[in-house]
Structures are given as C-alpha cells and as structure tokens.
Amino acid sequence: MPDATPEHTLLTPGPTPIHPRAMQALTRPMLGHMDPEVFALNREIQADLRVMYGTEESTFTALLAGTGSLGMEAGFANLVEAGDEVLVCANGSFGRRMAEMAARYGARVRLVTAPLGEAINPDDVAAHLDGARMVAVVHGETSTGVLNPVPEIARLVRQSGALLTVDAVTTAGMEPFHMAEWGVDYAYTGAQKCLSAPPGLAPVAISERAFARFAARRAPTPLWYCDFEGLRDYWDDHSYHHTVPVNLHYALHAALRAALDEGLENRQRRVQEVGAAIQTALAPLGFTPYVRRPEDRLPTVLALRLPEGFDDTGVRTALRERHISVTGGLGPTAGLIWRLGLMGETARPAPYLTLMHALEDILGERGLAGRFQDALAPVPA
Ligand code: PLP
C-alpha cells in the first residue's frame, strides 16, 4: 500500500467525497460521549436534522451508530411486532432489503412491485393497504435510479392509519423531503450519501405517532442497541446508553451545517444542473436515460443506459486506472447501465469534468469536455 493515496474522483452513488469542513472536524481532539460539549453538539445536530427532514419542532431526531442499513433495521425492529402486516414497496434492491428485514422482525410482508426502472404506482399501494400496520418505501431507489412518489403514497397511508417508513438515503439533504407535511413517521439516511460525511452514522427522524406505536409494543424490541427509548435516554435525557462515535458526530455536524448554509434549494439546483450537463455531453455517444418517464427519474442517481456495444468493464477499468470510480448496474442491469452519483460533493462540475476528459482519452472522442462545460449554467465549482 503506497503511503500517499493519489487523489481519487469518486462518482459512485455513495459514498461521496468527504466535505472539507467535515474532514477538518474529524481532527478535533476526542471528547467523552457524556461531555457537556458533546451534548451541546448533539442538540445542534438534532435541530439541523429537523430542518433537513422537514419535521415538526417537537420531532425526535438522532444519529444511530451505524450505516444507512442500521437506520432501516431500527425502524422495523422498533415498530414491527410478530404477525404485523407490513406492506413493502419493492422496486429494486433496497426495497427488497426492507422486505427481508421486516420479515426477520416477524412481519407478514406484502409486496407492491413495479417493473425494473419504473416507480411504484400509488394505486397499487391503495389496493393492498387494507389491514396494513406499516407501509415502507424507498424514496430514491439507488439500484435503478428511480424516484418513488412518496407524497402520493403518504397521502394514502395517512388515511389508512398505518405508519409510513421512508428510506431517504439518496434524497434527504439534497432533494425535497417534507416529513411533517407529507406525513412520514420514520425516516433515515446514511451520513456518507447526500451529506458527504464519513460513513458510520445513520441520521433518523421519528414521529410522535411512531413513538406511540413503539410505546404500545407487547414486548421490548429485540434490537437493544437501537431501542427508541434508549436513544431518547441518551439524546434527550443525557444518560448513558452506549458510547457514541463522537468524532463522527463532529464531522456530521460540520457537513450538515455546510448543507444548510448552502441551502437545500441551492443543492437541488446543483444536482439538476450538473445532471443535465452530463446528459448533454454523453447523449451524442448514445447514452440514454434508463428510467423512461422523466418524473420517475431520481436526480441524485443518474442511471444511463449504455450505448450499443459499449465495453462497460473495459472502460470502467481504464477509468479506475486513472483513479476515477464509476458504478455500473446491479444484478439484471449489470452491463446495461451506469449509475452516476450526484449526491453531496459529487454533484459538482469539477469531478464530472475530470470524467469527461478521461472519456475523451479512453474512447478517442473529442468534444465531450467542451460540451459538458457549454451545457453548464454558471455552477460554482
Ligand atoms: N437504502 C438505500 C436507498 C441505499 O442506497 C443504501 C446504500 O447504498 C442503503 C439503504 C444502505 O445503506 P448502507 O450501505 O449505508 O448501509
């Protein structure tokens, strides 16, 4: 292993490059997890998460000491009991992961699916809602680049009395997310996605309705580590539950502040502008949007169908040799698509300009970088 890792251009759909302010925060001296300064920091994180998720003033927010999958698991572990009917919208790998987790916590899982590359149809949710205690949906399905219609699904779920769990891993902090307005009960993300903080934390938001369901459990959750009450003990009442990764809290705090300072709307605009310029630059080569309906396209994971005869493995290997990481398809879309990340610090012109120059070189194509730059509105580098 060389001492100095060369600068790497990370264009994957997560993790994203660590924000410079988060990187700097990581170097702060260690403090104990029960230190008053850490509790003050945690309070600021909780307040900023309420803004990011668009919650009520009183909504409980916290960080779980694990990745996005722990956020997913904690929701099922605390809010599902054996025999509960849980309706899972599964139109990709992460929806299917939700279904598997719900089943492991004893749920009777009903699936609502959609063809690959298509969004969940709210009518299908409506048709299967009867008797469901919870509905779970991935807002932005990373495996296919599909945005599911959470506001429409939430409206239906609200009328039914079921709880709504939303995976906001590819959306919160970058795309519109309005937990209170939509009526979401449990939302989670991963620090390494739209916030560009290091992996290892899952920011969560838990509604009062979810807490009421939790309080009515017949038995404690089997997942002691993320017991909602235990979280509250530490985050709100400042009593020891487990040792939180304080240095990751510093970094996430800095990254979250940077996101809110920039403004969530400015971040959405940045995603749109860089995404549109990538498509303009690559279209003449034969790259086309994989998701057919424009309204179903997830802006933060640009899924592009590869041109006929394109050497996916060869080109991505050549990019990797130039220290550029691009992610291909998953399972049935392997060799068929690229999934270009536009979350956090990846949604900037500079890393994609690097990609365009490298592709010019590898493919012997002229004009890619120029087309990309011409297509960009003045976006800060
Ligand atoms: N949900 C979605 C939509 C994801 O994209 C991912 C990871 O890519 C996860 C959940 C799981 O997150 P993690 O890999 O941080 O555990």
Side-chain angles (χ1 to χ4, degrees):
M1 191 76 182
D3 282 347
T5 309
E7 196 164 326
H8 199 100
T9 303
L10 202 56
L11 304 176
T12 60
T16 55
I18 297 176
H19 192 284
R21 279 164 64 176
M23 194 64 111
Q24 202 181 7
L26 272 176
T27 64
R28 285 182 58 176
M30 192 63 190
L31 276 179
H33 52 288
M34 301 299 284
D35 193 289
E37 217 180 287
V38 173
F39 287 131
L41 178 97
N42 288 347
R43 262 196 304 278
E44 290 185 5
I45 291 171
Q46 288 183 296
D48 286 351
L49 287 179
R50 285 188 198 103
V51 177
M52 181 186 83
Y53 279 123
T55 72
E56 313 268 7
E57 214 25 65
S58 59
T59 299
F60 178 79
T61 53
L63 303 173
L64 307 184
T67 64
S69 301
L70 187 66
M72 186 188 286
E73 182 148 3
F76 296 113
N78 283 279
L79 300 173
V80 167
E81 289 194 89
D84 282 358
E85 297 278 348
V86 174
L87 195 159
V88 181
C89 301
N91 54 337
S93 311
F94 293 102
R96 286 196 297 275
R97 183 177 294 187
M98 279 183 143
E100 186 186 336
M101 283 188 187
R104 287 198 189 190
Y105 286 95
R108 286 150 58 147
V109 175
R110 305 176 197 168
L111 290 183
V112 169
T113 61
L116 219 58
E118 291 185 21
I120 294 290
N121 183 343
D123 292 344
D124 293 340
V125 174
H128 294 90
L129 255 182
D130 201 25
R133 299 260 297 154
M134 180 196 271
V135 175
V137 60
V138 177
H139 194 193
E141 196 21 278
T142 324
S143 62
T144 54
V146 165
L147 182 72
N148 281 319
V150 167
E152 289 79 0
I153 292 172
R155 211 169 302 126
L156 295 164
V157 175
R158 220 11 167 211
Q159 291 158 7
S160 80
L163 292 181
L164 179 62
T165 286
V166 178
D167 177 312
V169 168
T170 58
T171 52
M174 215 78 204
E175 290 299 307
F177 198 91
H178 306 289
M179 179 152 171
E181 185 188 320
W182 293 346
V184 175
D185 294 297
Y186 179 72
Y188 60 88
T189 182
Q192 79 279 17
K193 298 281 190 168
C194 294
L195 292 176
S196 284
L201 289 172
V204 300
I206 309 168
S207 76
E208 283 305 322
R209 268 165 37 105
F211 266 107
R213 175 73 62 86
F214 168 80
R217 288 183 66 91
R218 297 186 297 275
T221 166
L223 185 62
W224 180 93
Y225 193 59
C226 295
D227 183 304
F228 281 179
E229 204 48 55
L231 286 177
R232 255 197 165 150
D233 286 347
Y234 176 72
W235 285 83
D236 284 354
D237 301 337
H238 302 171
S239 56
Y240 169 69
H241 186 257
H242 61 266
T243 305
V244 300
V246 168
N247 48 349
L248 293 183
H249 284 211
Y250 286 141
L252 184 130
H253 175 266
L256 183 53
R257 271 289 152 96
L260 298 186
D261 287 349
E262 182 184 1
L264 295 174
E265 276 159 23
N266 289 331
R267 290 165 77 77
Q268 285 156 35
R269 195 168 327 119
R270 176 151 72 76
V271 174
Q272 294 292 348
E273 288 171 348
V274 178
I278 296 168
Q279 294 184 69
T280 303
L282 294 180
L285 270 62
F287 285 83
T288 53
Y290 171 64
V291 178
R292 194 173 46 83
R293 297 193 332 158
E295 62 271 33
D296 294 348
R297 292 178 195 153
L298 172 62
T300 50
V301 181
L302 179 59
L304 293 178
R305 194 181 283 276
L306 303 176
E308 206 50 48
F310 188 82
D311 178 12
D312 175 31
T313 310
V315 174
R316 283 195 297 120
T317 304
L319 287 171
R320 187 68 188 73
E321 282 160 6
R322 289 161 172 80
H323 310 290
I324 300 170
S325 291
V326 165
T327 306
L330 200 63
T333 58
L336 194 72
I337 65 172
W338 275 3
R339 293 176 298 139
L340 300 173
L342 286 165
M343 288 178 265
E345 290 307 291
T346 308
R348 301 262 181 207
Y352 277 99
L353 187 58
T354 302
L355 173 70
M356 298 305 162
H357 281 303
L359 286 177
E360 281 190 352
D361 188 29
I362 295 164
L363 302 173
E365 277 279 341
R366 304 229 59 78
L368 262 174
R371 262 201 314 277
F372 176 70
Q373 281 178 304
D374 290 348
L376 277 174
V379 182

